Amino acid sequence: MNDINIAGTILSKRRERGMTQDDLAVHIGVSKASVSKWETGQCFPDITILPQLAAFFGISIDELMGYRPQLSRDEIRVLYRELAEAFAKKPFEQVRERCRELVHRYYTCYPLLNQIGVLLVNHSMFAGGAEMAQEVLTEAMELFVRVKTECGDAVLAKQAQDMEALCLLSLNRPAEVTGMAEDPAMISQTSLEGLLVRAHQMLGETGPAKKIAQSAIYQHVSALTNMLVLYLGLCADDSEAADETIR
């Protein structure tokens, strides 16, 4: 998926311009045989020629090489399913190594990194003992921290933060979870409230746990009430549904 495909790019771009191999060779300053070998994949252009080729075709060097550092949502979904099935059928370390290869290859594809972290968390109990499970959870948490701090997507960052908090609780580090509450913007409209309650419980801090739980309950009940009012406005032609909604 998304392997380097410089041969296909040079061939297609040359044809788009209506050029022969001779024409391209003359422009770049190489032999026709060189262009032919590039297009058949027998060899790659010298690295010093790549900027010239990219500029001539009006594309970036990444585009010239046919390389995309990002995957589409569908591609990530396919990879997720493949890895989940692999965890169920193959040795854990073999699949874990495959995850590491993907992280290395798509280093800035943050939605993929987040999903790989989720997979590691969900399968950490199969790593082979408590110590190995903790190692896997730590590895997953490092992915979530990277996604949270680097992705630039607020929704994805909040998802990653929730998973980071879950990892911290599983690693018996509740104090670090409660520290997240110091930034109110980071806990707004996420499931982190429940994790914070659990963290305070683990620390024996019942008072703060109750306060966070009460606040979350109020917000959810308020949201539910608002939605019921909106639904009631849709029940003008259904008195039974209206009565049930009011009740």
Side-chain angles (χ1 to χ4, degrees):
M1 192 180 298
N2 295 321
D3 288 329
I4 291 175
N5 184 29
I6 192 169
T9 304
I10 293 175
L11 177 61
S12 64
K13 291 297 181 181
R14 176 178 64 77
R15 287 177 174 173
E16 283 177 14
R17 287 178 172 263
M19 301 176 69
T20 66
Q21 290 183 339
D22 276 325
D23 294 334
L24 181 58
V26 169
H27 181 83
I28 300 300
V30 297
S31 67
K32 176 186 175 183
S34 294
V35 174
S36 177
K37 289 179 179 179
W38 296 344
E39 293 185 349
T40 56
Q42 296 179 54
C43 67
F44 293 133
D46 187 273
I47 191 171
T48 59
I49 295 177
L50 294 181
Q52 185 181 357
L53 276 169
F56 178 69
F57 291 131
I59 58 178
S60 68
I61 292 179
D62 277 354
E63 290 173 309
L64 174 66
M65 299 177 71
Y67 173 73
R68 290 189 294 118
Q70 303 294 321
L71 297 178
S72 69
R73 184 177 301 178
D74 287 340
E75 289 172 326
I76 292 173
R77 189 179 297 114
V78 169
L79 269 178
Y80 185 92
R81 285 199 299 265
E82 289 177 357
L83 291 170
E85 291 175 4
F87 270 121
K89 299 176 182 178
K90 298 180 180 179
F92 183 89
E93 279 303 314
Q94 179 180 337
V95 187
R96 183 184 180 189
E97 187 58 35
R98 170 63 173 155
C99 289
R100 287 171 172 168
E101 291 172 0
L102 289 168
V103 168
H104 181 75
R105 182 176 182 184
Y106 300 106
Y107 193 74
T108 59
C109 186
Y110 299 112
L112 174 66
L113 302 192
N114 197 62
Q115 289 301 304
I116 288 178
V118 170
L119 278 168
L120 291 174
V121 171
N122 290 344
H123 295 86
S124 59
M125 68 287 293
F126 304 118
E131 185 175 341
M132 283 297 298
Q134 289 193 340
E135 182 182 310
V136 173
L137 287 170
T138 300
E139 184 174 344
M141 186 174 66
E142 290 172 354
L143 289 176
F144 296 132
V145 171
R146 271 191 53 207
V147 172
K148 180 183 75 173
T149 57
E150 299 177 15
C151 72
D153 181 326
V155 174
L156 184 60
K158 287 175 188 276
Q159 293 173 357
Q161 181 189 240
D162 286 351
M163 291 302 300
E164 176 195 359
L166 180 61
C167 289
L168 286 169
L169 289 180
S170 300
L171 292 167
N172 198 29
R173 294 160 59 180
E176 294 176 57
V177 178
T178 60
M180 293 179 176
E182 296 175 1
D183 182 1
M186 293 303 292
I187 66 171
S188 174
Q189 299 180 353
T190 73
S191 60
L192 189 57
E193 295 99 330
L195 297 173
L196 284 168
V197 171
R198 288 174 54 190
H200 281 294
Q201 281 183 305
M202 291 172 68
L203 293 168
E205 299 170 350
T206 304
K210 284 184 176 180
K211 184 176 180 180
I212 294 170
Q214 288 170 349
S215 176
I217 290 169
Y218 174 80
Q219 291 178 40
H220 291 302
V221 170
S222 178
L224 174 61
T225 303
N226 290 335
M227 188 56 65
L228 286 170
V229 171
L230 290 174
Y231 181 70
L232 186 61
L234 301 172
C235 297
D237 58 347
D238 189 342
S239 59
E240 184 177 345
D243 289 343
E244 182 64 21
T245 301
I246 292 171
R247 182 164 52 253

